[in-house]
Amino acid sequence: MKLTALTGFVFPLVLSMAAPTRVPAQWSLSLELGSERFWGGSLETAPESRSFRPYRPTTVTAGLDRFSRKLGYGLRLRYTDASMGLEGEDAVVAVKGVFSVVSIWPELSYRLATLGGDNQLFVHAGPLLELWSLVDQESRTRLGAQGAVSLSIPLSSRFGLSLSADIAVTP
Protein backbone atom coordinates (compact mmCIF):
# COMPACT_ATOMS: atom_id res chain seq x y z
CA MET A 1 0.00 0.00 0.00
CA LYS A 2 1.28 3.48 -0.78
CA LEU A 3 0.47 6.76 0.93
CA THR A 4 1.21 10.08 -0.72
CA ALA A 5 1.31 12.89 1.81
CA LEU A 6 1.29 16.38 0.37
CA THR A 7 0.32 18.02 3.65
CA GLY A 8 2.40 19.35 6.48
CA PHE A 9 5.73 20.68 5.27
CA VAL A 10 5.45 20.12 1.51
CA PHE A 11 2.85 22.17 -0.37
CA PRO A 12 1.77 21.80 -3.99
CA LEU A 13 1.56 25.01 -6.01
CA VAL A 14 -1.52 25.34 -8.17
CA LEU A 15 -1.31 27.70 -11.15
CA SER A 16 -4.86 28.69 -12.10
CA MET A 17 -5.77 29.87 -15.56
CA ALA A 18 -8.77 31.92 -14.34
CA ALA A 19 -10.06 33.53 -11.14
CA PRO A 20 -10.95 30.82 -8.61
CA THR A 21 -14.71 31.47 -8.20
CA ARG A 22 -15.66 34.19 -10.65
CA VAL A 23 -16.48 31.98 -13.63
CA PRO A 24 -18.73 28.90 -13.90
CA ALA A 25 -15.98 26.68 -15.38
CA GLN A 26 -12.21 27.02 -15.44
CA TRP A 27 -9.04 25.19 -16.37
CA SER A 28 -6.10 24.87 -14.02
CA LEU A 29 -2.54 23.70 -14.50
CA SER A 30 -0.74 22.43 -11.41
CA LEU A 31 2.75 21.51 -10.33
CA GLU A 32 3.03 19.53 -7.11
CA LEU A 33 5.95 18.51 -4.94
CA GLY A 34 5.32 15.73 -2.48
CA SER A 35 6.71 12.93 -0.40
CA GLU A 36 5.48 9.34 -0.46
CA ARG A 37 5.38 6.78 2.34
CA PHE A 38 5.03 3.04 1.77
CA TRP A 39 3.92 0.25 4.06
CA GLY A 40 2.93 -3.36 3.61
CA GLY A 41 4.68 -5.29 0.85
CA SER A 42 7.49 -7.15 2.55
CA LEU A 43 7.56 -7.33 6.32
CA GLU A 44 9.79 -9.71 8.19
CA THR A 45 7.90 -12.02 10.56
CA ALA A 46 10.77 -12.18 13.07
CA PRO A 47 10.51 -10.04 16.23
CA GLU A 48 12.78 -7.32 14.75
CA SER A 49 10.04 -6.32 12.22
CA ARG A 50 12.48 -5.09 9.57
CA SER A 51 11.23 -4.56 6.05
CA PHE A 52 12.48 -3.58 2.59
CA ARG A 53 10.46 -0.82 0.95
CA PRO A 54 10.87 2.32 -1.12
CA TYR A 55 12.46 4.83 1.21
CA ARG A 56 10.81 8.26 1.39
CA PRO A 57 10.89 9.31 -2.25
CA THR A 58 10.18 12.85 -3.37
CA THR A 59 7.54 13.16 -6.08
CA VAL A 60 6.97 15.70 -8.86
CA THR A 61 3.47 15.83 -10.33
CA ALA A 62 1.95 17.85 -13.15
CA GLY A 63 -1.79 18.07 -13.62
CA LEU A 64 -4.41 19.58 -15.87
CA ASP A 65 -7.92 20.03 -14.46
CA ARG A 66 -11.25 21.47 -15.53
CA PHE A 67 -13.64 22.60 -12.82
CA SER A 68 -17.25 23.65 -12.98
CA ARG A 69 -19.32 24.81 -9.99
CA LYS A 70 -19.26 21.48 -8.13
CA LEU A 71 -17.65 18.85 -10.38
CA GLY A 72 -14.28 18.59 -12.04
CA TYR A 73 -12.12 16.18 -13.99
CA GLY A 74 -8.43 16.06 -14.65
CA LEU A 75 -5.35 14.13 -15.62
CA ARG A 76 -2.16 13.88 -13.55
CA LEU A 77 1.35 12.60 -14.31
CA ARG A 78 3.83 11.88 -11.48
CA TYR A 79 7.51 10.96 -11.49
CA THR A 80 9.28 9.39 -8.50
CA ASP A 81 12.95 8.39 -8.21
CA ALA A 82 13.73 6.63 -4.94
CA SER A 83 16.01 4.55 -2.80
CA MET A 84 15.27 1.13 -1.35
CA GLY A 85 15.57 0.95 2.41
CA LEU A 86 15.79 -1.77 5.03
CA GLU A 87 14.03 -0.17 7.93
CA GLY A 88 14.03 -1.40 11.49
CA GLU A 89 13.01 0.17 14.77
CA ASP A 90 16.41 1.80 15.43
CA ALA A 91 18.10 2.23 12.04
CA VAL A 92 17.68 2.48 8.28
CA VAL A 93 20.02 1.25 5.55
CA ALA A 94 19.20 2.79 2.16
CA VAL A 95 20.55 2.15 -1.34
CA LYS A 96 20.08 5.19 -3.60
CA GLY A 97 18.69 5.16 -7.14
CA VAL A 98 17.18 1.68 -7.03
CA PHE A 99 13.92 2.44 -8.80
CA SER A 100 11.72 5.01 -10.47
CA VAL A 101 7.96 5.15 -10.84
CA VAL A 102 5.89 6.96 -13.47
CA SER A 103 2.22 7.29 -12.52
CA ILE A 104 -0.72 8.52 -14.55
CA TRP A 105 -4.28 8.86 -13.42
CA PRO A 106 -7.47 10.49 -14.54
CA GLU A 107 -9.59 11.74 -11.68
CA LEU A 108 -13.01 13.12 -10.89
CA SER A 109 -13.34 15.90 -8.33
CA TYR A 110 -16.29 17.06 -6.25
CA ARG A 111 -16.38 20.30 -4.27
CA LEU A 112 -17.57 19.49 -0.77
CA ALA A 113 -17.63 23.03 0.63
CA THR A 114 -16.50 26.62 0.28
CA LEU A 115 -14.72 27.79 3.41
CA GLY A 116 -14.19 31.41 4.37
CA GLY A 117 -14.69 33.16 1.06
CA ASP A 118 -12.92 31.53 -1.89
CA ASN A 119 -11.23 28.58 -0.13
CA GLN A 120 -12.63 25.30 -1.45
CA LEU A 121 -12.58 21.75 -0.07
CA PHE A 122 -12.51 18.95 -2.70
CA VAL A 123 -12.58 15.17 -2.74
CA HIS A 124 -10.86 13.38 -5.67
CA ALA A 125 -10.96 9.76 -6.91
CA GLY A 126 -9.88 7.73 -9.92
CA PRO A 127 -7.93 4.78 -11.29
CA LEU A 128 -4.13 4.75 -11.12
CA LEU A 129 -1.66 3.27 -13.61
CA GLU A 130 2.00 2.99 -12.54
CA LEU A 131 5.13 1.85 -14.36
CA TRP A 132 7.79 0.69 -11.88
CA SER A 133 11.38 0.50 -13.21
CA LEU A 134 13.81 -1.31 -10.91
CA VAL A 135 17.57 -1.60 -11.46
CA ASP A 136 18.47 -4.85 -13.26
CA GLN A 137 14.80 -5.91 -13.44
CA GLU A 138 12.04 -5.79 -16.04
CA SER A 139 9.64 -2.89 -15.68
CA ARG A 140 6.37 -3.70 -13.94
CA THR A 141 2.98 -2.17 -14.53
CA ARG A 142 0.58 -1.75 -11.62
CA LEU A 143 -3.09 -0.81 -11.75
CA GLY A 144 -4.77 0.55 -8.66
CA ALA A 145 -6.99 3.29 -7.28
CA GLN A 146 -6.27 6.70 -5.83
CA GLY A 147 -8.26 9.12 -3.70
CA ALA A 148 -7.54 12.51 -2.15
CA VAL A 149 -8.91 15.39 -0.14
CA SER A 150 -7.63 18.87 -0.95
CA LEU A 151 -8.06 22.43 0.21
CA SER A 152 -7.64 25.07 -2.51
CA ILE A 153 -6.59 28.53 -1.30
CA PRO A 154 -6.50 31.32 -3.91
CA LEU A 155 -3.53 33.68 -3.54
CA SER A 156 -4.46 35.97 -6.45
CA SER A 157 -6.67 35.86 -9.52
CA ARG A 158 -4.28 33.41 -11.29
CA PHE A 159 -2.30 31.68 -8.53
CA GLY A 160 -3.32 29.49 -5.65
CA LEU A 161 -2.05 27.08 -3.06
CA SER A 162 -3.46 23.60 -2.58
CA LEU A 163 -2.95 21.39 0.46
CA SER A 164 -3.84 17.77 -0.12
CA ALA A 165 -3.58 14.29 1.33
CA ASP A 166 -3.68 11.40 -1.16
CA ILE A 167 -3.85 7.67 -0.72
CA ALA A 168 -3.30 5.06 -3.39
CA VAL A 169 -3.71 1.30 -3.25
CA THR A 170 -1.74 -0.85 -5.71
CA PRO A 171 -0.68 -4.50 -5.67
Side-chain angles (χ1 to χ4, degrees), residues 29 64 82 84 107 129 140 162:
L29 177 64
L64 179 64
M84 184 64 75
E107 69 178 10
L129 178 66
R140 298 177 184 180
S162 179

Side-chain angles (χ1 to χ4, degrees), residues 15-16 28 33 45 57 75 83 89 98 100 109 115 138 153 161 168:
L15 304 173
S16 297
S28 71
L33 298 175
T45 56
L75 183 65
S83 304
E89 291 182 23
V98 173
S100 63
S109 304
L115 310 169
E138 285 188 35
I153 304 166
L161 179 69

Side-chain angles (χ1 to χ4, degrees), residues 129-165:
L129 178 66
E130 293 187 326
L131 177 63
W132 288 63
S133 299
L134 291 102
V135 172
D136 297 331
Q137 299 283 326
E138 285 188 35
S139 296
R140 298 177 184 180
T141 302
R142 299 283 186 249
L143 184 61
Q146 178 147 334
V149 175
S150 67
L151 176 63
S152 176
I153 304 166
L155 300 176
S156 70
S157 65
R158 294 198 179 266
F159 296 98
L161 179 69
S162 179
L163 305 175
S164 70

